[in-house]
Amino acid sequence: MDITRFIISRRDKALLVGDYGLYRKQLSRRLLVVRKKLNYSSKGRKYNPKTPITAEDIGNNHEFVPHQRPVPISKCLIASSTHAADVGTQAVTGSTKRHVISRFQKASNYATLLVTLLQEKEKCGASTESVLEARAYRQSLRGSIAFEKGDWERCLQSYSETRLLYTALAQAKGSSAGQEDLFKDLLSNTVDASLRYAAYQLKLPRTMSIEAIVARYVPRENNTFVTEALKSNADLLQESGAAARMSMTGSADAPKTINWRSRTVKLEDASTAQALASLSVAEANLVSFLAANPDTDRRAKAAAFDDVLLPSQDAVDATKTAIDELTAEGIPQGDPRMQSLQITRTAVNYNLVEWRVGRNRVLCGQQDGAVFEDETVKKPKKLGADGKSREVQEESLSRKLNRLKERVVLYESTLQSLESVKELPGVLADETLMNDLEVKKAYFSSLRCLAIARSHMLQGNTRNSLALLSRALDLSSQASSPSSPSKSGTAALSKLEVTSAQADSLKGLLERSVLQYRALVELEDLNSAASQNRPSFNPSPMVERLDEYPPEGVDLTNLVTYPPKIQPIPVKPIFLDVAWNYIDYPGRPKKGVATATSGNAEETASKPEPRKEAKKGWFGFGR
């Protein structure tokens, strides 16, 4: 019988509807359906007496338990709205308040009947946890009645028992059924607020914790439910509330004072002290986690910071609530309590900023993002189509730019957090702290400029990269002086501290980068000047014009054609074939040339002329 979860789910559904009249009609229809299902609907006249539900009915069918609860749930919803009006600006009065009290009374009667039936465990088969849940629900309704009537002592008694029972149930069922968060939300939203307001009406000290109030006002005489709850943990009713705080807030000892700079003030609000106690436990857990897992992924490390940020934010909210309450009471700003709360507010807000900045620095990577390492890509497990393992692809340009963009967002968030510190009380008057903040601001601004410069490097904008690197170098020179040393043992987490080694390392990296990109820009200028002085036409390479003197100097970029191209060259010109018979070649015998003389002319004339052969081939060329 999960009574508490049933109540919370119905309450959340009512809040989603937003109209209590409409929700009441839904409950009436639901109640009619359950009655018909259980064959429990009244027949005949409307006001016939109904058969009472017995423990045997619940043992045979647990649907009889919700049959007893819809009416109390609707009254509990009215209680939430009534409490909000009472604690807020204007209380409900007159006939409306009397009607609300009567509905509370009727709901309490139903809850009392449910507790009585569940106590017969042998007949109904209910467990001890179910009985305690029903009793806690009944006592919360009784506390609401006392709250509306203004009976603050009885209200404290009823709500103290409610908180004690829910705390015991959280310890008994939190790990097995996963209901610890459910009970914590129920206590923080309804029970604790009502206890605080009733204690305020009874003029109890604000420094008294919730556990001390519960231990003082819970009814112990002839209360079997409290005795049953104390069987699992007998320390629940101790004044220190060590076990209760350990179960609900995670801390055993709440601090009494808080330190800020050179001042130590007393904690005026118990809720703030409890939140700080939870914060100290979370810090210790985070330090142990990081020490045990030094090679964990940066995203996993950043996720571990969430357990510290939540209690830190709770401390900030609790301090602001305490200041608002004192302001509403008309307490002047010069009152010692108000002064202590203002110092506490500055301390807890600065601590929250430190943890936020520390988380951002972990997400940025090594050396706060000064080193831009390539992201490791896992080798694909599946084989390719050819059955061979796939090659690991290099990280794309767009992915690198997205990672740099994420770092810029983290740096901007850090700078905004540092600016918010200046709005806290007493910060502007502290010159040492302001100088320290300016040094840290210059350090993270330098990292931001470096990340933007790297994005321009990847896109080939060398001049923009050089300008941003020069600006980052100027900022890193301002951050070369180290900030104040850390006083806590969490300095290894790199929350907001900037050491001289970190500043010097960043400055050295920027100096090398500035020299490198200054040289690249100079080379680009030389190349652009040379390209402007070149002729518009494309001359042949220098190796083909060795017989010419270059008056404007040698173009070293056009010495040879590389890679070489295929070009036509003259091979065996035709005039060599025509002059074949007139040229003497080595190894060829010489032929005499006939001369016209008188002696041999006669001999030539006497010889008969040889027969000429007919020409063959085209154009008179024979073979």
Side-chain angles (χ1 to χ4, degrees):
M1 301 178 189
D2 204 349
I3 298 175
T4 306
R5 188 176 295 278
F6 179 84
I7 295 171
I8 297 299
S9 62
R10 293 289 177 175
R11 181 179 299 173
D12 294 341
K13 185 177 180 181
L15 294 175
L16 291 176
V17 172
D19 186 356
Y20 290 102
L22 179 61
Y23 180 68
R24 184 175 181 276
K25 294 179 181 179
Q26 291 180 0
L27 283 180
S28 300
R29 291 194 297 268
R30 174 63 181 169
L31 187 59
L32 181 60
V33 170
V34 173
R35 282 176 175 173
K36 288 182 179 180
K37 184 178 180 180
L38 297 176
N39 196 19
Y40 194 73
S41 58
S42 59
K43 299 179 181 180
R45 296 171 58 185
K46 181 177 180 180
Y47 296 104
N48 282 342
K50 299 179 179 61
T51 306
I53 298 176
T54 61
E56 289 79 1
D57 295 335
I58 297 177
N60 296 331
N61 193 343
H62 287 177
E63 289 290 334
F64 279 96
V65 176
H67 177 267
Q68 286 290 86
R69 291 201 302 263
V71 175
I73 292 172
S74 63
K75 308 307 176 294
C76 186
L77 297 174
I78 299 174
S80 301
S81 61
T82 307
H83 284 1
D86 286 343
V87 179
T89 58
Q90 185 177 0
V92 177
T93 58
S95 60
T96 304
K97 185 161 189 163
R98 290 194 297 271
H99 177 73
V100 169
I101 292 176
S102 65
R103 297 299 90 188
F104 269 131
Q105 188 64 47
K106 187 175 182 180
S108 177
N109 294 337
Y110 279 108
T112 302
L113 177 60
L114 177 62
V115 173
T116 304
L117 294 176
L118 293 180
Q119 281 184 299
E120 301 179 15
K121 299 180 182 179
E122 297 179 356
K123 297 181 181 180
C124 66
S127 62
T128 304
E129 287 79 8
S130 299
V131 177
L132 294 180
E133 286 187 58
R135 174 68 179 186
Y137 173 55
R138 186 257 182 189
Q139 288 300 104
S140 66
L141 293 175
R142 299 300 301 175
S144 300
I145 295 173
F147 191 98
E148 296 300 327
K149 290 183 177 180
D151 190 353
W152 305 116
E153 187 170 358
R154 191 177 296 276
C155 176
L156 282 179
Q157 293 175 358
S158 300
Y159 275 122
S160 296
E161 184 176 352
T162 301
R163 195 182 196 283
L164 177 69
L165 295 178
Y166 278 133
T167 303
L169 289 170
Q171 290 180 343
K173 299 180 64 176
S175 57
S176 59
Q179 288 191 339
E180 184 176 358
D181 294 336
L182 182 67
F183 290 126
K184 288 172 64 176
D185 293 339
L186 181 61
L187 292 178
S188 60
N189 294 334
T190 305
V191 179
D192 289 352
S194 301
L195 282 171
R196 278 294 176 195
Y197 189 79
Y200 165 75
Q201 293 293 339
L202 290 177
K203 308 299 181 181
L204 295 180
R206 292 181 180 272
T207 56
M208 181 179 292
S209 63
I210 294 290
E211 289 77 15
I213 297 174
V214 171
R216 180 178 298 185
Y217 286 94
V218 66
R220 311 183 190 185
E221 297 180 359
N222 301 325
N223 195 331
T224 57
F225 303 98
V226 175
T227 304
E228 188 69 29
L230 292 176
K231 287 183 179 180
S232 58
N233 194 336
D235 298 333
L236 288 176
L237 288 182
Q238 290 183 0
E239 287 288 336
S240 62
R245 286 199 300 273
M246 182 63 73
S247 63
M248 304 308 297
T249 64
S251 175
D253 297 321
K256 303 298 182 182
T257 59
I258 187 171
N259 299 323
W260 168 246
R261 308 292 286 176
S262 60
R263 301 190 61 178
T264 301
V265 296
K266 182 180 179 182
L267 290 173
E268 298 291 341
D269 186 66
S271 300
T272 305
Q274 293 179 11
L276 291 176
S278 302
L279 177 60
S280 62
V281 174
E283 288 179 0
N285 294 336
L286 177 61
V287 172
S288 60
F289 171 78
L290 296 178
N293 304 280
D295 299 331
T296 309
D297 183 63
R298 55 188 176 88
R299 294 182 178 86
K301 292 180 180 179
F305 277 75
D306 294 340
D307 296 335
V308 179
L309 291 173
L310 289 177
S312 183
Q313 184 64 51
D314 291 341
V316 172
D317 296 339
T319 306
K320 184 178 182 301
T321 302
I323 293 175
D324 294 341
E325 291 177 355
L326 290 180
T327 304
E329 296 175 8
I331 304 298
Q333 293 294 328
D335 188 82
R337 291 178 297 170
M338 185 66 76
Q339 291 292 322
S340 299
L341 285 174
Q342 292 291 354
I343 295 175
T344 304
R345 177 192 172 192
T346 303
V348 295
N349 276 276
Y350 188 81
N351 188 39
L352 178 61
V353 168
E354 282 186 326
W355 286 113
R356 285 177 178 173
V357 173
R359 182 178 182 272
N360 292 343
R361 296 175 75 174
V362 170
L363 285 173
C364 287
Q366 297 180 3
Q367 299 181 15
D368 301 331
V371 179
F372 186 68
E373 66 280 357
D374 293 335
E375 197 172 44
T376 56
V377 182
K378 294 183 179 180
K379 189 176 182 179
K381 298 180 180 179
K382 295 183 179 179
L383 300 178
D386 54 355
K388 297 181 180 179
S389 59
R390 299 179 180 178
E391 297 181 357
V392 179
Q393 297 182 354
E394 187 179 356
E395 188 179 8
S396 62
L397 176 61
S398 60
R399 188 174 180 84
K400 291 181 180 179
L401 292 175
N402 288 333
R403 289 202 292 130
L404 288 172
K405 188 183 297 184
E406 291 176 359
R407 290 190 180 183
V408 172
V409 172
L410 292 173
Y411 293 138
E412 290 178 350
S413 175
T414 300
L415 294 174
Q416 290 177 1
S417 299
L418 292 176
E419 285 293 331
S420 65
V421 174
K422 298 179 181 179
E423 301 175 1
L424 298 176
V427 174
L428 292 176
D430 193 339
E431 185 178 356
T432 305
L433 179 60
M434 288 297 298
N435 295 334
D436 192 17
L437 290 176
E438 290 298 328
V439 168
K440 295 170 182 176
K441 185 178 177 181
Y443 176 77
F444 290 107
S445 298
S446 176
L447 289 172
R448 176 178 174 273
C449 292
L450 175 60
I452 300 176
R454 281 178 173 148
S455 65
H456 285 279
M457 295 176 193
L458 295 175
Q459 295 176 346
N461 300 328
T462 312
R463 293 180 179 276
N464 296 344
S465 300
L466 178 59
L468 289 166
L469 288 173
S470 178
R471 174 59 179 165
L473 181 59
D474 295 340
L475 292 171
S476 65
S477 300
Q478 300 176 15
S480 59
S481 59
S483 63
S484 58
S486 175
K487 297 180 182 179
S488 61
T490 59
L493 297 179
S494 297
K495 295 194 297 183
L496 195 54
E497 296 79 8
V498 179
T499 62
S500 58
Q502 292 173 337
D504 294 341
S505 175
L506 176 61
K507 185 178 180 181
L509 174 64
L510 290 172
E511 287 176 349
R512 294 190 298 270
S513 300
V514 167
L515 290 176
Q516 177 185 359
Y517 276 84
R518 187 173 291 169
L520 292 175
V521 170
E522 187 68 23
L523 288 176
E524 288 184 358
D525 293 342
L526 293 175
N527 291 333
S528 62
S531 61
Q532 291 177 359
N533 296 330
R534 292 173 190 170
S536 59
F537 63 93
N538 187 15
S540 59
M542 182 55 120
V543 70
E544 298 179 7
R545 296 182 290 110
L546 296 178
D547 56 337
E548 299 178 4
Y549 178 77
E552 297 179 356
V554 178
D555 185 6
L556 299 180
T557 62
N558 194 18
L559 295 178
V560 294
T561 302
Y562 185 83
K565 299 180 181 179
I566 299 177
Q567 296 178 352
I569 59 175
V571 178
K572 198 176 182 180
I574 192 170
F575 71 87
L576 293 177
D577 293 337
V578 174
W580 174 265
N581 296 325
Y582 300 95
I583 298 176
D584 293 335
Y585 293 95
R588 179 183 176 185
K590 296 183 179 180
K591 295 181 179 181
V593 180
T595 57
T597 58
S598 58
N600 54 17
E602 296 176 356
E603 295 178 358
T604 305
S606 62
K607 292 182 180 180
E609 296 181 359
R611 184 180 178 182
K612 296 181 180 180
E613 295 181 358
K615 295 181 180 180
K616 297 180 181 180
W618 291 352
F619 306 108
F621 293 98
R623 295 187 179 180

